Amino acid sequence: MTGLDRDRPADSDGKTAHARFLKRACDRLGYDAQEYQILLSPSREIRIELPLRRDDGSLCVFTGYRVQHHNARGPYKGGLRFHPDTDIDDVRALACLMSLKTALLNVPFGGAKGGIDCDPARLSDREMESLTRRLTSKLHRNVGPFTDIPAPDVGTNAQIMAWISDEYSKVYGYTPAAVTGKPLDMGGSLGREDATGRGVALVLRAWARHRAETLEGRTAVIQGLGNVGIHAARCLHDLGIKIVAVGDSRSAVFAEDGLPVDALIAHKNETGGLAGFGAGATVDPAAMLETECDYLVPAALGGVIHAGNAPHIRARTIVEAANAPTTWDADAVLNAAGVTILPDILANAGGVVVSYFEWVQNLQQFPWSLEDVHTRLTERLETAVDDVMALAAGQEVSLREAAYVIAARRLKDALWTSGP
Ligand code: NAD
């Protein structure tokens, strides 16, 4: 167990935050204990030993995982995470979240997640390529365009998806639909790279419209300046929101009047970090989460908003760009304090929606324009926001509970129709 539910470690029956959220939704839907268990439990868990010859000639062994949660609504679908904290508990929880996310967005996929317990910052490009190809060569019988479709997540990117695609195609011939988030010249989709961050802004905009809330001039704090955080920062800034603080794993910067987003991203891309950035004051990355703002956007790892810091959060709204950033206990504290949470399975779903578009384009061998991608992404996310807000208002529950109820019902309906 790593960061997913720090203040309440896994119970004897292995529950974590997502399991409790799912249980609460199942109770509301009147599902019994067996039905809940079937929705929660993964279909298959794969563990792979991955020996790697390092550049210095030494040999080390990493562990790879792929958890396939449910595929009643379509092929398993989910990211690959390369991070030293990756373990089976995190991957299992993240796979379940993927099933719920694809159900909520009504894309024809199930849920999966995978990863390797490695630190990409300590591996050379050759070592990363070798490890990725080794993972693919050991996993290829269990993945594929109608079986299980990996995508990028923490520590992985389009280049890694390209190596997976190439390795897979050596066995099965040209099969671009076997993996999404690929580079454009290998069958990737326009608009995939920034889709998750763009989706964060689109979901916030749709939610704000329902409440007649103006975004212009509001303030946001963003934790994590990787793929999701960078594009979320840019898109939120384009909506007129002032980004007053951003941080990554090593440092954070704050400016009351708003940070110059383009310069900040350029600095991060050039130097790999935020240290030495000319504008704003340096602040403690952990304390940054407690900065007063309208929108707090965790876009890094799970479990960062926990019972310890939840009472000190001074945001009015949390937009969960990361997966599972809020623990069960923190969720209760924040709900009681009147903080609105746009939950992960809604707020960060832009990535899997455009992955779906990429898969469709690959199967049809017919690329779409960027305008088509953006229009369809906006439609899907706005429909999901409408669904969640209608149920939340009708049943007087939080947005997270509403999202889980919709997703759990769709997942159960598909599972029961196909025969549990
Ligand atoms: P990434 O590897 O590109 O970036 C991660 C960022 O988090 C980096 O800037 C890193 O410095 C920062 N970080 C790591 N530890 C931190 C810490 N302790 N404090 C502050 N910052 C820290 O990963 P990503 O693809 O941007 O994913 C970020 C989150 O979004 C993850 O939770 C992931 O599961 C979720 N997500 C990603 C996608 C996607 O399409 N990539 C889709 C949906 C959800």
Side-chain angles (χ1 to χ4, degrees), residues 224-359:
L225 216 51
N227 173 280
V228 177
I230 282 180
H231 294 295
R234 200 170 264 145
C235 293
L236 293 173
H237 182 254
D238 288 348
L239 291 174
I241 295 170
K242 278 192 292 184
I243 313 298
V244 292
V246 299
D248 64 13
S249 52
R250 285 171 291 170
S251 46
V253 285
F254 168 81
E256 197 172 353
D257 295 332
L259 291 157
V261 169
D262 287 340
L264 188 86
I265 293 170
H267 182 82
K268 167 83 183 176
N269 287 338
E270 271 163 32
T271 66
L274 296 170
F277 183 60
T282 304
V283 290
D284 171 37
M288 187 200 67
L289 290 171
E290 297 165 22
T291 307
E292 189 170 354
C293 61
D294 293 300
Y295 312 120
L296 173 61
V297 185
L301 299 177
V304 295
I305 302 174
H306 46 77
N309 62 7
H312 310 295
I313 298 287
R314 289 185 292 157
R316 287 189 309 120
T317 302
I318 296 175
V319 191
E320 293 186 337
N323 281 310
T326 310
T327 66
W328 167 264
D329 288 344
D331 188 73
V333 169
L334 292 162
N335 277 323
V339 177
T340 301
I341 302 178
L342 298 176
D344 48 6
I345 59 172
L346 176 64
N348 71 33
V352 76
V353 170
V354 179
S355 274
Y356 164 50
F357 298 161
E358 182 175 333
W359 180 72

Side-chain angles (χ1 to χ4, degrees), residues 41-331:
S41 307
S43 304
R44 185 186 295 158
E45 298 185 356
I46 302 165
R47 180 194 153 112
I48 305 165
E49 296 307 302
L50 298 166
L52 174 73
R53 179 72 65 190
R54 303 292 308 262
D55 290 344
D56 64 7
S58 64
L59 193 63
C60 61
V61 183
F62 296 95
T63 306
Y65 304 94
R66 188 72 180 169
V67 173
Q68 297 174 330
H69 182 255
H70 276 301
N71 65 351
R73 304 186 74 262
Y76 301 109
K77 181 87 187 87
L80 276 179
R81 179 173 288 198
F82 287 7
H83 190 278
D85 286 347
T86 301
D87 67 12
I88 191 64
D89 292 318
D90 270 357
V91 176
R92 192 184 289 135
L94 292 164
C96 177
L97 283 179
M98 280 306 297
S99 289
L100 296 168
K101 197 181 300 180
T102 53
L104 179 64
L105 270 294
N106 228 348
V107 291
F109 290 136
K113 204 79 180 188
I116 302 179
D117 62 350
C118 66
D119 184 353
R122 291 170 178 270
L123 295 173
S124 68
D125 286 351
R126 188 207 64 80
E127 290 169 338
M128 285 284 278
E129 177 174 354
S130 175
L131 199 53
T132 304
R133 289 187 184 277
R134 179 61 65 98
L135 175 75
T136 312
S137 71
K138 293 208 171 180
L139 202 57
H140 70 81
R141 284 183 194 81
N142 299 102
V143 296
F146 300 105
T147 311
D148 180 357
I149 307 144
D153 191 72
V154 174
T156 58
N157 55 25
Q159 175 60 69
I160 288 173
M161 301 306 117
W163 290 327
I164 294 173
S165 185
D166 182 61
E167 196 66 26
Y168 187 87
S169 296
K170 284 179 188 167
V171 183
Y172 300 96
Y174 180 64
T175 322
V179 54
T180 60
K182 301 179 294 294
L184 279 180
D185 52 13
M186 286 195 69
S189 174
L190 290 167
R192 173 61 186 89
E193 197 192 321
D194 69 354
T196 308
R198 177 176 296 274
V200 168
L202 290 171
V203 166
L204 177 62
R205 188 183 70 178
W207 168 81
R209 266 194 202 141
H210 273 273
R211 300 161 43 97
E213 178 165 314
T214 315
L215 295 176
E216 183 100 32
R218 304 263 176 198
T219 55
V221 167
I222 302 180
Q223 185 202 40
L225 216 51
N227 173 280
V228 177
I230 282 180
H231 294 295
R234 200 170 264 145
C235 293
L236 293 173
H237 182 254
D238 288 348
L239 291 174
I241 295 170
K242 278 192 292 184
I243 313 298
V244 292
V246 299
D248 64 13
S249 52
R250 285 171 291 170
S251 46
V253 285
F254 168 81
E256 197 172 353
D257 295 332
L259 291 157
V261 169
D262 287 340
L264 188 86
I265 293 170
H267 182 82
K268 167 83 183 176
N269 287 338
E270 271 163 32
T271 66
L274 296 170
F277 183 60
T282 304
V283 290
D284 171 37
M288 187 200 67
L289 290 171
E290 297 165 22
T291 307
E292 189 170 354
C293 61
D294 293 300
Y295 312 120
L296 173 61
V297 185
L301 299 177
V304 295
I305 302 174
H306 46 77
N309 62 7
H312 310 295
I313 298 287
R314 289 185 292 157
R316 287 189 309 120
T317 302
I318 296 175
V319 191
E320 293 186 337
N323 281 310
T326 310
T327 66
W328 167 264
D329 288 344
D331 188 73

